[in-house]
């Protein structure tokens, strides 16, 4: 029997997951012995994510947090994927684990301890490089079936990435609809960020607070493909490595699995003292994505997330909406 207290405790940890533009595109429901996890399609991003793959990756991140938190609080989980309608929920069945000897929960608890400290750190990283031991540990992080994670260290191979990052960024910042959608999800000052509880707060990108009118003007008129390319080149050069996440099949089930692999990576690397941030632009533009596949010989695998990793001080943390706004109506989703 899942008590109300445990339900809220678990969904609170689940909601700390990352999501594209911090849209938090999920809703939770409760059954006697299960938590339901719905995709919230009302929070989709039609320009940057027209097929909703990033939405389902975000849902997978929430699922991973939920499974880790449930393990920490003494529940075994079985995840049931329903393959009917696109907005059908995942059902996470919880069964109390028998009392375990001390330390048997260590696997979950070590990851659980990273749920709150984890963040996407969007600033410039320090010069420090990855040592061999850390690179080895990163390569050993387990991934979900049908997903692949590839660590690319700075060098000849990573040089193939930079022009593709710039090409993706050029296309996006040359597209007015992309910039409009982004501006809708930017929170230009703390008041706005707290009030909405979602979106990308300027401070997380190291930018000063402004009013919405001034912020929108800067984004729409002063930020150009050229200024963005310059910014990305600098961030790229200060990275200790890059990580490419791919799926074997381009469907919601694999996107969710990729989200789980990515979130596990985020929790494990946070424990190692590493930071990460997205550089997805080449993968959000289909034509450029194909070039990435070709450059890295990915064959049938479809690359969907690209990260830079490195060392940095933590930035400000993003806000989340009130949990009550994330609860689905009792019968079907709101
Ligand atoms: C599927 C996915 C795609 C993302 N894409 C980007 C991106 O292109 N650029 C970026 O700066 N952050 C990206 N993010 C990170 C989000 O902006 C970040 O998770 C969100 O703002 C919440 O912040 P937090 O993860 O630090 O809690 C992405 C996150 C996810 C899950």
């Amino acid at each position: 029997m899942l008590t109300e207290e445990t339900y809220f405790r678990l969904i609170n940890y689940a909601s700390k997951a990352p999501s594209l533009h911090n849209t938090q595109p999920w809703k939770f429901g409760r059954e006697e012995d299960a938590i339901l996890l719905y995709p919230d399609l009302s929070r989709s991003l039609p320009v940057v994510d027209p097929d909703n793959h990033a939405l389902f990756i975000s849902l997978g991140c929430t699922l991973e947090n939920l499974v880790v938190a449930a393990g920490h609080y003494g529940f075994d989980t079985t995840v049931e994927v329903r393959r009917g309608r696109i907005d059908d929920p995942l059902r996470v069945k919880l069964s109390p684990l028998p009392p375990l000897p001390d330390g048997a929960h260590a696997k979950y608890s070590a990851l659980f301890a990273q749920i709150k400290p984890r963040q996407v750190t969007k600033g410039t990283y320090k010069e420090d490089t990855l040592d061999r031991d850390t690179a080895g540990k990163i390569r050993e992080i387990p991934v979900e079936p049908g997903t692949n994670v590839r660590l690319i260290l700075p060098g000849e191979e990573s040089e193939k990435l930079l022009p593709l990052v710039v090409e993706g960024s050029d296309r996006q910042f040359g597209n007015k609809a992309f910039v409009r959608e982004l501006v809708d999800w930017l929170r230009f000052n703390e008041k706005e960020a707290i009030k909405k509880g979602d979106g990308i707060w300027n401070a997380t990108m190291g930018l000063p607070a402004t009013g919405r009118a001034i912020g929108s003007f800067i984004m729409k008129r002063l930020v150009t493909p050229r200024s963005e390319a310059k910014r990305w080149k600098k961030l790229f050069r200060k990275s200790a490595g890059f990580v490419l996440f791919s799926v074997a099949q381009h469907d919601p089930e694999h996107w969710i699995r990729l989200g789980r692999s990515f979130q596990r990576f985020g929790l494990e690397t946070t424990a190692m003292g590493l930071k990460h941030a997205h550089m997805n632009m080449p993968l959000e533009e289909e034509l450029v994505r194909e070039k990435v596949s070709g450059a890295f010989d990915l064959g049938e695998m479809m690359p969907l997330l690209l990260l830079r990793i490195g060392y940095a001080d933590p930035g400000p943390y993003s806000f989340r909406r009130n949990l009550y706004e994330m609860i689905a109506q009792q019968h079907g989703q709101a």
Side-chain angles (χ1 to χ4, degrees):
M1 168 76 185
L2 173 64
T3 64
E4 176 140 332
E5 190 191 347
T6 305
Y7 171 59
F8 274 96
R9 187 182 273 161
L10 294 181
I11 67 171
N12 183 39
Y13 282 105
S15 74
K16 308 251 173 265
S19 56
L20 180 61
H21 290 8
N22 196 19
T23 47
Q24 306 158 31
W26 47 70
K27 284 202 173 191
F28 301 102
R30 182 179 160 199
E31 289 180 351
E32 204 178 334
D33 62 349
I35 293 180
L36 302 176
L37 181 54
Y38 296 84
D40 184 350
L41 298 171
S42 71
R43 304 181 73 80
S44 66
L45 296 165
V47 181
V48 70
D49 186 30
D51 59 10
N52 284 323
H53 72 259
L55 187 149
F56 280 93
I57 292 174
S58 308
L59 197 71
C61 297
T62 329
L63 174 61
E64 182 66 9
N65 271 10
L66 187 58
V67 168
V68 168
H72 173 76
Y73 284 107
F75 293 97
D76 202 8
T77 43
T78 316
V79 181
E80 293 165 18
V81 181
R82 298 176 184 178
R83 295 187 187 80
R85 288 165 41 141
I86 184 89
D87 56 357
D88 276 346
L90 298 165
R91 185 167 184 273
V92 184
K93 187 170 179 311
L94 303 166
S95 341
L97 286 164
L100 293 174
D102 274 358
H105 283 136
K107 183 184 102 189
Y108 288 117
S109 295
L111 289 185
F112 174 78
Q114 305 305 329
I115 290 182
K116 283 188 179 172
R118 180 218 62 86
Q119 63 170 206
V120 172
T121 310
K122 301 189 183 202
T124 312
Y125 296 167
K126 298 172 184 169
E127 299 282 349
D128 309 3
T129 52
L130 284 188
D131 59 42
R132 276 174 76 132
D133 192 36
T134 308
K137 281 189 193 149
I138 291 175
R139 291 197 171 102
E140 279 166 18
I141 298 172
V143 296
E144 287 294 293
T147 70
N148 180 268
V149 180
R150 175 141 153 205
L151 174 65
I152 302 164
L153 295 174
E156 218 172 283
E157 211 186 11
S158 74
E159 285 307 305
K160 292 192 273 183
L161 275 176
L162 184 57
L164 298 168
V165 167
V166 171
E167 186 177 343
S169 167
D170 273 356
R171 282 175 179 267
Q172 291 189 326
F173 279 84
N175 175 356
K176 285 202 170 106
F178 168 86
V179 177
R180 261 199 310 273
E181 185 178 75
L182 177 63
V183 167
D184 279 349
W185 286 93
L186 286 178
R187 307 291 173 246
F188 291 105
N189 52 66
E190 189 169 10
K191 198 171 155 201
E192 221 182 51
I194 292 175
K195 190 168 168 214
K196 291 273 191 181
D198 62 11
I200 304 169
W201 177 27
N202 249 14
T204 64
M205 297 195 296
L207 298 173
T210 67
R212 175 147 286 271
I214 294 178
S216 305
F217 176 81
I218 293 172
M219 285 303 298
K220 289 177 180 166
R221 299 288 165 82
L222 305 185
V223 175
T224 61
R226 204 164 153 196
S227 66
E228 275 298 290
K230 196 169 156 204
R231 189 172 77 86
W232 281 110
K233 279 180 193 161
K234 187 169 157 216
L235 295 174
F236 190 92
R237 294 278 170 236
K238 291 281 179 114
S239 305
F242 307 93
V243 189
L244 196 54
F245 290 75
S246 315
V247 283
Q249 284 176 46
H250 205 33
D251 59 32
E253 202 172 328
H254 284 78
W255 301 334
I256 290 169
R257 290 187 198 177
L258 191 73
R260 292 194 69 176
S261 296
F262 162 54
Q263 181 63 0
R264 199 172 302 146
F265 173 94
L267 297 176
E268 294 266 13
T269 53
T270 301
M272 296 176 202
L274 273 165
K275 297 285 188 285
H276 65 270
H278 297 253
M279 273 192 333
N280 289 338
M281 306 80 84
L283 309 179
E284 288 165 349
E285 294 288 318
E286 252 175 65
L287 288 176
V288 194
R289 188 196 290 159
E290 281 168 21
K291 293 187 190 175
V292 175
S293 291
F296 289 89
D297 296 324
L298 294 180
E300 295 297 306
M301 297 296 287
M302 168 90 71
L304 292 179
L305 291 181
L306 175 62
L307 306 181
R308 60 186 167 101
I309 59 174
Y311 296 92
D313 296 326
Y317 279 83
S318 297
F319 295 98
R320 293 294 183 275
R321 289 172 299 150
N322 188 303
L323 279 184
Y324 288 99
E325 287 181 43
M326 300 182 189
I327 306 283
Q329 299 287 316
Q330 201 58 28
H331 300 287
Q333 197 198 340

